Amino acid sequence: DAGITQSPRHKVTETGTPVTLRCHQTENHRYMYWYRQDPGHGLRLIHYSYGVKDTDKGEVSDGYSVSRSKTEDFLLTLESATSSQTSVYFCAISEGPTVANVLTFGAGSRLTVL
Amino acid sequence: QQPVQSPQAVILREGEDAVINCSSSKALYSVHWYRQKHGEAPVFLMILLKGGEQKGHEKISASFNEKKQQSSLYLTASQLSYSGTYFCGSQEVQGAQKLVFGQGTRLTINP
């Protein structure tokens, strides 16, 4: 299996609290992505990174920020969590947007905001 | 903008065939297909490129109609292991860094 781990795997928090999810890879892939998965919406892109300190917004970036200070780590932060951010969050990595830009996903982090 | 998948759900008996469709309102460079089993992460199945090149799974086939911005995934003689949710992902231009996924199609295979 590709070396990609997400932490925490499960978290319950209260509205208004900050939350940080971590994605760690050992593949030295340049590209990293954060998606959220909700019933009826599939996988929606939140933010992605194409290198250290290089990030960009996805479709549903409001309320989220990201940081990538090292190639192996991509952090997703909810500054003030809301109930609408209850979801399963998946991190994904890829070698790059080449012809065969295949995504490898982490196991997911289930976040519940009460 | 998310591509649209159809049907949203399908139930089959083992051995039957299934077709899952994915359409986009935008011109596409490539379409990707992923499968997700319950409680697990999505896993890559196949990529179809503009111009007809196909890379991926040996037992599942797909087509890509560039003019209609549509792709179809064909699962023939379905097996129990094919159950799961299938997602198509669209890449609008070569080199695009984002992959935008459809809402998913849930496939259930019964014995």
Side-chain angles (χ1 to χ4, degrees):
Chain A
D1 291 342
I4 176 170
T5 55
Q6 293 184 227
S7 59
R9 293 289 314 281
H10 301 273
K11 186 172 182 65
V12 180
T13 191
E14 294 187 350
T15 298
T17 59
V19 175
T20 296
L21 305 180
R22 180 183 184 233
C23 179
H24 178 77
Q25 59 141 336
T26 58
E27 303 297 314
N28 201 35
H29 284 352
R30 180 180 174 191
Y31 291 82
M32 300 185 76
Y33 305 81
W34 276 108
Y35 286 88
R36 63 176 288 176
Q37 184 174 29
D38 306 287
H41 293 280
L43 294 156
R44 292 182 291 175
L45 182 63
I46 305 171
H47 282 280
Y48 64 99
S49 169
Y50 46 97
V52 174
K53 297 187 180 179
D54 291 324
T55 64
D56 204 350
K57 297 179 180 180
E59 314 158 68
V60 290
S61 60
D62 288 348
Y64 302 94
S65 62
V66 290
S67 65
R68 192 169 179 198
S69 59
K70 298 183 291 185
T71 298
E72 57 266 35
D73 290 326
F74 192 32
L75 304 180
L76 177 70
T77 298
L78 292 67
E79 300 290 347
S80 178
T82 67
S83 57
S84 64
Q85 293 176 312
T86 292
S87 186
V88 179
Y89 292 85
F90 284 99
C91 175
I93 61 175
S94 77
E95 293 186 73
T98 60
V99 166
N101 183 23
V102 175
L103 299 184
T104 301
F105 286 85
S109 294
R110 181 176 295 275
L111 176 67
T112 302
V113 183
L114 302 176
Chain B
Q1 189 171 3
Q2 284 186 291
V4 177
Q5 292 184 230
S6 63
Q8 292 188 0
V10 59
I11 301 174
L12 300 175
R13 289 195 180 276
E14 194 173 9
E16 293 181 336
D17 301 339
V19 180
I20 300 172
N21 301 302
C22 174
S23 64
S24 174
S25 58
K26 298 185 176 183
L28 301 177
Y29 172 73
S30 72
V31 176
H32 300 223
W33 287 96
Y34 288 74
R35 177 171 64 205
Q36 182 182 32
K37 293 189 176 290
H38 182 69
E40 298 181 6
V43 175
F44 171 76
L45 285 178
M46 180 170 301
I47 179 173
L48 299 107
L49 306 172
K50 187 175 181 179
E53 186 177 0
Q54 175 179 311
K55 300 176 185 290
H57 205 279
E58 60 182 15
K59 294 186 177 182
I60 298 173
S61 63
S63 64
F64 180 23
N65 186 325
E66 301 159 29
K67 291 184 179 180
K68 294 184 177 181
Q69 292 96 247
Q70 292 178 345
S71 177
S72 295
L73 187 71
Y74 306 97
L75 301 97
T76 56
S78 58
Q79 306 170 15
L80 295 177
S81 63
Y82 287 3
S83 292
T85 300
Y86 290 77
F87 293 97
C88 69
S90 61
Q91 183 185 19
E92 293 180 9
V93 296
Q94 184 177 6
Q97 298 168 0
K98 298 188 293 186
L99 196 61
V100 181
F101 286 94
Q103 80 278 21
T105 295
R106 176 174 290 183
L107 176 65
T108 303
I109 309 295
N110 293 320

